[in-house]
Every structure is written in C-alpha cells, then in structure tokens.
Amino acid sequence: MDLSTTIAGVRFPTCLMNASGALCVTKAELEALGQSRSGAIVTKSMTPAFRQGNPEPRYYSFPGGSINSMGLPNLGYPAYADIIPTLQTFGKPVIASIAGLSPPDFLEAARAITAVSPDLIEVNLSCPNIAGKPQIGYDVEASRALLLELKKIVTVPMGVKLPPYFDPVHYEITARMLLDVKVDFMTVINSVGNGLVVDPEEERVVIKPRYGFGGLGGAMIKPVALANVRAFWKLIGDSIPIIGTGGVVSGTDMFEHILCGAKAVQIGTALVDEGVGVFQRLEKELGELLQRKGYASLSDCRGRLQEL
Ligand code: HRO
C-alpha cells in the first residue's frame, strides 16, 4: 500500500511522522527518527538560545493520555542549524519547528534556519507552558503580524502549528487569516493547554511546573483534534494542506484523521510511550485497514467523512 503524501510540493515517503516535541530534542533522537519508519524528521521547537526547560517531573503518561509542561527545552537554533544537513541524508523531509518567547525570537530563528534549507518550517504558535507567555495562536492579529514578518524571511514552505479551538468563530477568523497570509500547511492541533491531572492516592498534582497545569495529549484529545482538522478542512479544503495531530495510537486513529481531511498525521504521546517502533506498527495497521476497506490510496478516502 502506497502511504506516501505530498505537502506544499514536498514528498513524504509515508504520511506518518513524529510531532514536534516527542523524542526530537537531541541529535541522537533526531537521527533515530531518521533511521525509523517515520515519514519525516520534525525537530523540537527551537529558540535562539539553549533552554533547560521547566523543572522535573514535567511529563506524565497515564492510561488515556499524557500531560506535559516541558517549557521548551531545546538545544538552540545554532545547534539545529549544524545538525540539519546530516538529517537530510536520511532521504525524508526535515521539518524545522521554530518558536520563541517574543516575535524577534521567531524572526531570528527563522533567518538562521532558512539559511540551512530544511524542507519545511513549522511555526509553533501554540506552546501552552511558558509562564507569562500566552499562546500566540489565540490572538489572531498577533499571529497575522508575526506570520507576515516570517513570510518575508522564510524561503522554504512555511506552516503553522495551531492550538485547539473550541468555537466556530475562532475557526473562521483563523482560517481567513491563514488564507490571507498564504501559509503553506497547517499542523492541527498542539496539546490541549492547561489541563490538570490529579493523583488521588497521593492527593497531589503529577507534574511540578506551574502548579501541575500542562498540555494534554494522547487518546483523550482525539475528538478535539478531529473536530479541528474537520472544521479547518471544511473552511479551507485543500488550499492549505492539514497535518492532523492528536490522539493517534492506532492505524484506525490515523484513518479517522484522514477521513476528516488530513494529508499526513503526527504522533506525540504514542511515540514517547512506545519509541520509534510505533511508526512501523501504525503503518502496518493503516495499510491493513485501507486494504480491508478496498481503498487503493489515501486520496480515495481523504476528507470523505459522511455526515448524517
Ligand atoms: O515544550 C513544551 O512545553 C511544549 C511545547 Cl513547546 C508545545 O508546543 N506543546 C507542548 O505541549 N509542550
């Protein structure tokens, strides 16, 4: 079964890849993604300087999902600029994720990383875990201003990583802005920000930073992710390709994202739980499911979710 896909003119050998943040901070982790069945190598969101991130414990996995408050730990863009040429020898696209604590941070990272020509750049507008730094993706005019500045710098296909939205009007104003700016792809969704997981035996929170609040991922966020993929696909169609992210732990979950309109799928929590072997498992499960249903390719079913 051919599970390859094309996003913004870039061919991916399979439509499944890591989500930024999951096992992609260090050179060793990025090379392991290169050697795995992942269809791309997505870096951790990078800032101008190295960041240790928030105090530990800052990631907790439980049946049904995960909560994190990593706090943008990363090597800093100079290190990723050095590593990217090596990553490009693995024969799959390299997606550089950029972030920042302020707009000038994003512009600085974008300038330096564009110079080493990753295949695509994903602009992270949705880190929920930095105290005092609201998610830019929830401010449509701030997002527009930042993306317009980035567009002047970035010469490779540039997409956005969005937070989840929960109201139709937010889908509409965000879709309009993304079409105006002409982003090349969108990754939907980042973690569901500022959730709280409680350990009832210990009677306390499960992660240390920010009073235990953090971004939720894994199986429990799938309906929110699917709603965002579907809502944007209905508004934008194929004008901006969608990478679906959120709640993917099986080939069936991938299929649901594709039915909603996703051209590719990313995995975070399942990758952290299982390691890079998860790519092979999911590829096999999706291939078998498509075959059982009689689909010859992804384009035969993509976006074809039926409504009652
Ligand atoms: O590093 C993090 O705390 C983090 C980031 Cl940048 C992000 O985009 N999403 C997330 O759940 N955690």
Side-chain angles (χ1 to χ4, degrees):
M1 179 72 64
D2 178 13
L3 297 181
S4 67
T5 192
T6 302
I7 290 171
V10 178
R11 185 182 175 276
F12 290 66
T14 81
C15 64
L16 175 63
M17 69 195 84
N18 69 296
S20 178
L23 302 187
C24 61
V25 174
T26 65
K27 184 166 192 249
E29 287 172 337
L30 291 162
E31 289 182 345
L33 289 167
Q35 281 150 5
S36 76
R37 294 290 306 178
S38 179
I41 305 172
V42 187
T43 71
K44 173 68 183 174
S45 297
M46 60 190 81
T47 51
F50 168 87
R51 285 176 58 86
Q52 194 74 53
N54 289 338
E56 296 182 349
R58 58 193 187 181
Y59 183 90
Y60 181 82
S61 179
F62 54 97
S66 67
I67 182 167
N68 88 83
S69 183
M70 306 302 287
L72 264 173
N74 77 98
L75 305 178
Y77 72 69
Y80 294 108
D82 281 349
I83 298 170
I84 284 172
T86 308
L87 299 179
Q88 288 182 309
T89 64
F90 286 101
K92 57 181 86 173
V94 174
I95 304 182
S97 172
I98 62 169
L101 304 191
S102 67
D105 281 4
F106 281 87
L107 301 179
E108 190 182 329
R111 211 169 279 119
I113 287 301
T114 297
V116 297
S117 297
D119 297 276
L120 305 99
I121 287 180
E122 187 180 87
V123 181
N124 186 353
L125 298 180
S126 45
C127 175
N129 296 326
I130 308 292
K133 300 287 173 188
Q135 295 165 80
I136 305 168
Y138 286 134
D139 180 338
V140 73
E141 289 314 317
S143 298
R144 180 194 300 271
L146 174 60
L147 293 171
L148 285 172
E149 286 304 308
L150 285 166
K151 269 288 210 185
K152 293 180 194 162
I153 294 170
V154 174
T155 54
V156 300
M158 184 184 96
V160 286
K161 174 90 167 266
L162 296 175
Y165 298 100
F166 299 94
D167 190 288
V169 79
H170 295 148
Y171 296 130
E172 284 159 22
I173 58 176
T174 305
R176 213 173 304 130
M177 182 274 290
L178 296 174
L179 287 166
D180 288 349
V181 172
K182 298 189 173 61
V183 301
D184 298 302
F185 68 97
M186 54 202 291
T187 304
V188 174
I189 58 175
N190 207 322
S191 56
V192 175
N194 297 295
L196 186 64
V197 173
V198 169
D199 180 335
E201 284 309 311
E202 300 295 333
E203 303 179 13
R204 66 179 180 219
V205 299
V206 297
I207 55 171
K208 185 177 172 78
R210 303 185 62 227
Y211 314 102
F213 289 75
L216 304 174
M220 67 181 176
I221 72 163
K222 187 175 71 172
V224 177
L226 294 176
N228 276 259
V229 170
R230 188 65 179 165
F232 280 117
W233 190 82
K234 282 172 79 78
L235 287 165
I236 293 178
D238 283 335
S239 308
I240 303 176
I242 298 173
I243 303 179
T245 311
V248 173
V249 294
S250 71
T252 305
D253 299 325
M254 287 182 72
F255 180 65
E256 291 177 14
H257 271 269
I258 292 161
L259 273 182
C260 288
K263 276 199 107 171
V265 174
Q266 294 182 345
I267 47 170
T269 301
L271 172 57
V272 175
D273 283 348
E274 274 181 65
V276 294
V278 72
F279 295 110
Q280 198 166 5
R281 175 175 71 77
L282 294 188
E283 190 182 323
K284 181 167 175 286
E285 287 177 10
L286 178 63
E288 286 171 357
L289 186 146
L290 293 177
Q291 208 156 24
R292 176 169 64 75
K293 286 178 163 281
Y295 289 118
S297 73
L298 295 175
S299 51
D300 288 350
C301 54
R302 195 168 59 81
R304 304 247 169 113
L305 181 68
Q306 294 176 50
E307 293 166 0
L308 299 175

